[in-house]
Amino acid sequence: MPLVGLDPGGLAAVLAACGVPEAQRRMRARQLFRWIYARGAADFAAMTDLPAVLRERLAAEYSISRPEIVTERRSADGTVKWLLRFADGQEVESVFIPEADRGALCVSTQVGCTLSCSFCHTGTMPLVRNLTAGEILAQMLVARDRLEEWPTGRPDRRFTNLVVMGMGEPLFNYDNLAAALRIAMDPAGLDLSKRRITVSTSGVVPRIEQCGRELGTGLAVSLHAVRDELRDRLVPLNRKWNIASLLDACRRYPIRRRITFEYVMLKGVNDSDADARELVRLLRGIPAKVNLIPFNPWPGAVYACSTGDRVRAFAAIVEAGGIAAPIRLPRGRDILAACGQLKTASQRDRAA
Ligand code: SAH
Ligand code: SF4
């Protein structure tokens, strides 16, 4: 049985099952917690401050092994992308994106996605299940392993930030996400500050406030359109929770941090000057930042990316409205770092 994903209470229950006397359980659970999440042990034998009999008992019945790394690709710009395979054969991607003074790991929360945003490759993948808390955390452990950043909390660490923006809709797997993030944020665990964690949603309105209140993380909202008629087509979840209700939820978000609005630039679809002006009007009163994302094409996509001039003109209007609107650089193009692409390439290779 895997231990990754268990909190101190869960580990104490495991220790009870292993016969550890009640008086010792809390202390032993804390030791085990640190070994797994702060020191990155992948093997019980390394846990030298636990009694040898306990280590043997744990090794016989439990595991802290990692998912299999199917592929690891390192881009010339430093981006690293992993395709990971879990015990049941299902695969997800995670991507590490380094910047000058920090680096963000982008993790997945589902295999595939039940939503089918028309510009997104993940939405076309048939197989869907939620990841467990352990599988969400395992992506972070693999990144620390491969970046050689154990123990956690090293001042020179590059994996400093976490973005929940990989495959899947995080707020449709809220309980497992919350369990994983609590361990990720624990100073005795992966020690990632909540101020450096951002959860991206396509607009699961009833969960947004809860996410802020319970986890305290930053919020990113995949807006992509300023009119319901268009957003209904790009982000079908909009038919359930429309732009007005989504922005209401953003106004009520309890964390005092700017909300990031993601806006994928689709040529001739959502990139006009009028769209930019309407975006400024809609976001009035919300502490906001707009990330303009060049559309990342995938085989079979019906969209094209707006021209560079169009993206810059759009950005200028948003900026003139008093809202920061950085244009996101496409990272890791040479390793297919866009959402869903590596997984599909690997399946194609195997099929061939
Ligand atoms: N399901 C969540 C988080 C994962 S998607 C969400 O939708 O927010 C992460 C971001 O990538 C979203 O803003 C999504 O709209 C965007 N995205 C998906 N496919 C893309 C593509 N082909 N090009 C550019 N951005 C894309
Ligand atoms: Fe799912 Fe997000 Fe892709 Fe939409 S953009 S299909 S919500 S992963």
Side-chain angles (χ1 to χ4, degrees):
M1 190 190 124
L3 294 188
V4 177
L6 296 183
D7 62 9
L11 293 175
V14 163
L15 292 169
C18 291
V20 173
E22 165 122 50
Q24 284 184 23
R25 265 176 229 156
R26 273 195 56 189
M27 176 198 58
R28 295 286 181 223
R30 266 205 309 275
Q31 286 175 306
L32 196 50
F33 188 87
R34 279 187 179 280
W35 275 114
I36 297 173
Y37 303 113
R39 303 172 81 163
D43 185 344
F44 294 105
M47 304 181 179
T48 44
D49 54 2
L50 296 183
V53 279
L54 176 58
R55 280 184 269 153
E56 279 158 30
R57 179 81 192 261
L58 287 167
E61 289 175 41
Y62 299 94
S63 84
I64 42 175
S65 61
R66 310 294 195 241
E68 179 192 343
I69 300 176
V70 181
T71 52
E72 173 181 274
R73 297 196 189 178
R74 290 183 186 242
S75 163
D77 67 13
T79 305
V80 192
K81 178 157 184 161
W82 296 278
L83 179 68
L84 303 178
R85 184 182 297 147
F86 297 112
D88 69 349
Q90 292 300 329
E91 296 173 351
V92 298
E93 299 166 1
S94 34
V95 187
F96 175 70
I97 305 160
E99 277 171 45
D101 53 347
R102 62 193 168 144
L105 180 72
C106 174
V107 294
S108 297
T109 52
Q110 297 181 311
V111 179
C113 186
T114 53
L115 303 171
S116 28
C117 301
S118 52
F119 55 88
C120 174
H121 205 192
T122 303
T124 66
M125 293 179 184
L127 275 165
V128 180
R129 72 167 173 84
N130 280 334
L131 296 190
T132 64
E135 289 168 336
I136 297 171
L137 278 163
Q139 298 170 68
M140 304 175 214
L141 302 187
V142 166
R144 280 245 189 283
D145 288 347
R146 300 297 300 155
L147 298 170
E148 299 181 27
E149 297 193 341
W150 297 113
T152 203
R154 283 165 38 162
D156 60 340
R157 66 182 176 175
R158 291 176 295 157
F159 166 19
T160 55
N161 291 45
L162 184 73
V163 292
V164 185
M165 287 188 188
M167 298 163 60
E169 169 48 55
L171 299 189
F172 278 159
N173 187 16
Y174 180 79
D175 292 342
N176 291 335
L177 174 70
L181 290 187
R182 286 194 179 100
I183 292 169
M185 292 188 283
D186 193 318
L190 280 140
D191 194 25
L192 292 163
S193 159
K194 64 183 176 207
R195 279 179 293 278
R196 289 174 172 267
I197 300 179
T198 302
V199 175
S200 175
T201 181
S202 57
V204 184
V205 164
R207 293 282 192 184
I208 288 178
E209 193 263 345
Q210 182 186 12
C211 178
R213 179 166 35 82
E214 294 182 349
L215 304 174
T217 52
L219 178 69
V221 169
S222 297
L223 190 61
H224 305 316
V226 292
R227 286 170 285 118
D228 281 321
E229 169 270 319
L230 176 60
R231 195 164 188 272
D232 282 349
R233 281 188 283 137
L234 297 181
V235 184
L237 193 64
N238 195 66
R239 294 179 200 147
K240 193 153 186 188
W241 294 296
N242 65 14
I243 294 175
S245 69
L246 177 56
L247 295 180
D248 260 355
C250 292
R251 285 192 188 86
R252 292 195 308 271
Y253 197 65
I255 302 308
R256 256 184 301 228
R257 223 174 103 178
R258 275 192 308 183
I259 294 174
T260 301
F261 289 88
E262 289 156 288
Y263 199 95
V264 62
M265 298 300 293
L266 304 172
K267 187 178 193 169
V269 175
N270 64 354
D271 61 353
S272 71
D273 287 356
D275 288 319
R277 285 192 294 268
E278 178 63 5
L279 182 58
V280 171
R281 197 189 66 80
L282 283 177
L283 298 183
R284 201 161 286 151
I286 302 175
K289 168 188 161 185
V290 173
N291 268 348
L292 297 174
I293 316 171
F295 171 65
N296 229 322
W298 38 274
V302 297
Y303 301 104
C305 184
S306 311
T307 63
D309 282 348
R310 185 87 295 271
V311 178
R312 283 187 290 275
F314 193 98
I317 293 171
V318 179
E319 298 263 0
I323 301 169
I327 300 165
R328 298 305 296 261
L329 293 172
R331 298 292 300 267
R333 277 259 161 109
D334 54 331
I335 55 164
L336 299 174
C339 192
Q341 292 192 352
L342 180 60
K343 178 171 171 176
T344 310
S346 126
Q347 284 167 343
R348 204 173 41 232
D349 292 350
R350 261 176 280 147

